[in-house]
Amino acid sequence: MNNSLVSVIMPTYNQDVFIGEAIKFVLGQTCLDLELTIVDNYSEDETQKIVESFDDDCIRYFKFANNEIIAASRNQGIEKSEGKYIAFIDSDDKWLNDKLFEQINAFS
């Protein structure tokens, strides 16, 4: 069982142009106690290949048909997550390096 503090949920579909950078922003967080759950709506581009190019045990990759309802992918990510807190990032987003650290401090 994973004991991550933060589960980061990233739904995606055909975002091979952006997803690598979004993953780097998550992995670059100063809060290192995290897992990244990527929920792919069966992308038809190089999304899966890019995700798999990151050799990091905190990344978990799932395919899920969301029937064009992105909230369904987010909910699937929550179901697969094991962290105490949940954070969402889209596969074309960017985060400041201390985003999660600051949010966890605010909760404390």
Side-chain angles (χ1 to χ4, degrees), residues 55-66:
D55 186 25
D56 195 308
D57 292 337
C58 80
I59 298 175
R60 299 165 16 145
Y61 176 78
F62 301 96
K63 290 194 175 191
F64 174 75
N66 69 15

Side-chain angles (χ1 to χ4, degrees), residues 18-56:
F18 303 107
I19 195 165
E21 188 172 12
I23 292 170
K24 288 177 188 175
F25 278 103
V26 173
L27 297 180
Q29 290 296 298
T30 54
C31 168
L32 298 177
D33 189 10
L34 60 83
E35 67 178 1
L36 172 58
T37 302
I38 299 171
V39 183
D40 185 357
N41 185 27
Y42 290 89
S43 292
E44 299 170 345
D45 62 2
E46 298 296 315
T47 294
Q48 181 173 352
K49 184 177 180 181
I50 292 167
V51 171
E52 291 173 346
S53 73
F54 287 87
D55 186 25
D56 195 308

Side-chain angles (χ1 to χ4, degrees), residues 83-95:
K84 180 177 179 181
Y85 299 105
I86 299 290
F88 297 105
I89 185 169
D90 290 330
S91 53
D92 61 352
D93 283 354
K94 298 177 181 181
W95 279 356

Side-chain angles (χ1 to χ4, degrees), residues 68-87:
E68 299 182 22
I69 302 170
I70 196 165
S73 288
R74 288 189 178 102
N75 290 338
Q76 181 69 14
I78 291 169
E79 288 180 25
K80 301 283 187 186
S81 297
E82 300 173 353
K84 180 177 179 181
Y85 299 105
I86 299 290

